[in-house]
């Protein structure tokens, strides 16, 4: 039940999570776009959108996941040598 980070797509997700998460862990909640791209924006919801929008958002999520994994891998590797 430990987590280094809780990644959310929308601010409303933060509101739901903070209802059940201890206040001491609220700092672990981060927007996906902020973590992946340095943008303090929400991920667009593709629900009920066109196939083009769905594929565009899927590509953004895939790229963002790669960037986040890269960041965590670099952080993990640098911590091993300190």
């Amino acid at each position: 039940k430990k987590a280094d980070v809780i990644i959310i797509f929308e601010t409303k997700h933060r509101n739901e999570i903070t209802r059940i998460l201890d206040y001491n862990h609220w700092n672990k909640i981060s927007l996906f776009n902020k973590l992946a791209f340095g943008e303090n924006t929400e991920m667009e919801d593709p629900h009920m959108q066109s196939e083009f929008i769905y594929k565009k958002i899927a590509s953004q999520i895939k790229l963002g996941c790669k960037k986040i994994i890269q960041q965590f891998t670099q952080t993990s590797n640098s911590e091993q040598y300190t």
Side-chain angles (χ1 to χ4, degrees), residues 43-60:
M43 177 60 67
E44 185 178 353
D45 186 350
H47 184 68
M48 302 296 291
Q49 300 287 336
S50 68
E51 182 178 352
F52 172 79
I53 297 294
Y54 177 84
K55 288 182 177 182
K56 177 183 138 194
I57 294 169
S59 292
Q60 288 175 324

Side-chain angles (χ1 to χ4, degrees), residues 9-80:
F9 282 167
E10 300 175 11
T11 304
K12 69 180 180 182
H13 297 150
R14 177 187 308 275
N15 297 339
E16 293 299 318
I17 291 170
T18 56
R19 289 174 152 184
I20 60 171
L21 186 67
D22 186 85
Y23 177 76
N24 293 326
H25 301 290
W26 285 12
N27 63 333
K28 295 181 178 190
I29 302 171
S30 182
L31 279 169
F32 179 86
N33 284 345
K34 178 76 171 174
L35 206 53
F37 307 112
E39 301 171 358
N40 199 22
T41 59
E42 295 183 348
M43 177 60 67
E44 185 178 353
D45 186 350
H47 184 68
M48 302 296 291
Q49 300 287 336
S50 68
E51 182 178 352
F52 172 79
I53 297 294
Y54 177 84
K55 288 182 177 182
K56 177 183 138 194
I57 294 169
S59 292
Q60 288 175 324
I61 292 171
K62 186 175 181 179
L63 176 62
C65 286
K66 287 180 180 181
K67 288 181 175 252
I68 291 169
I69 290 168
Q70 184 179 33
Q71 289 174 24
F72 285 140
T73 302
Q74 289 173 347
T75 302
S76 178
N77 287 339
S78 67
E79 288 175 356
Q80 289 178 355

